[in-house]
Amino acid sequence: MSDAGLLFERGLDLNARRVFLVGDIDAESASTVTRGLLLLADRGPKRPIQLWVSSPGGEMDYALAVHDIVRGLPCPVATVAFGACMSAAVLLVACGEPGHRYATPHTPFMVHGVSMEATGDPRSVAALAAYEEAQGRRMDRLM
């Protein structure tokens, strides 16, 4: 398989300057997406990039990492939601260039309040709860 074919399999279309995030937002998907975005920005710092998102959401820390990369790029990033866009994935669509945030006609969006599961001593649970509440406030500000 060619290098372009391998990149496309990993969610990167070099010719069309598109990066795809399909599935859960986790360490691996965030790493793949950020590497793709940085590569395209390096190859054309003024040329627009499209970030296509279809995700049930995932880990907010990784969504925020992708968000920060998108907002820090020298080139404009258009975002396109397709399939389903839920939870932390909504943040990624919202971080696109103003006026260049799109969704296909049948894309459902869903945002929910902060949720968590925790076990352990009360101090650890309280610290985790405070952290999660701060994450929720951060997402509210960024949306």
Side-chain angles (χ1 to χ4, degrees):
M1 183 177 286
S2 70
D3 287 344
L6 288 172
L7 289 172
F8 191 76
E9 272 191 18
R10 297 289 293 167
L12 178 61
D13 182 346
L14 285 176
N15 294 330
R17 295 182 60 81
R18 290 185 192 129
V19 178
F20 295 87
L21 191 160
V22 179
D24 292 339
I25 299 169
D26 57 19
E28 184 178 347
S29 65
S31 175
T32 299
V33 167
T34 56
R35 284 191 313 245
L37 291 166
L38 291 168
L39 175 66
L40 290 173
D42 188 52
R43 290 180 171 217
K46 300 294 180 201
R47 294 178 50 211
I49 296 172
Q50 294 179 357
L51 174 59
W52 288 69
V53 180
S54 177
S55 172
E59 298 180 51
M60 184 57 72
D61 290 330
Y62 295 113
L64 289 167
V66 173
H67 174 278
D68 291 348
I69 294 296
V70 167
R71 300 304 296 156
L73 291 174
C75 49
V77 177
T79 52
V80 183
F82 70 105
C85 191
M86 314 265 176
S87 192
V90 176
L91 176 67
L92 298 184
V93 175
C95 77
E97 190 74 19
H100 298 279
R101 301 169 187 148
Y102 308 100
T104 58
H106 301 289
T107 301
F109 286 84
M110 187 273 300
V111 178
H112 59 82
V114 174
S115 63
M116 61 173 261
E117 291 181 29
T119 59
D121 66 89
R123 285 187 186 165
S124 297
V125 172
L128 181 58
Y131 175 78
E132 293 299 333
E133 286 176 2
Q135 289 288 67
R137 287 191 301 275
R138 184 176 292 119
M139 184 168 174
D140 290 344
R141 275 195 323 273
L142 294 171
M143 299 281 281

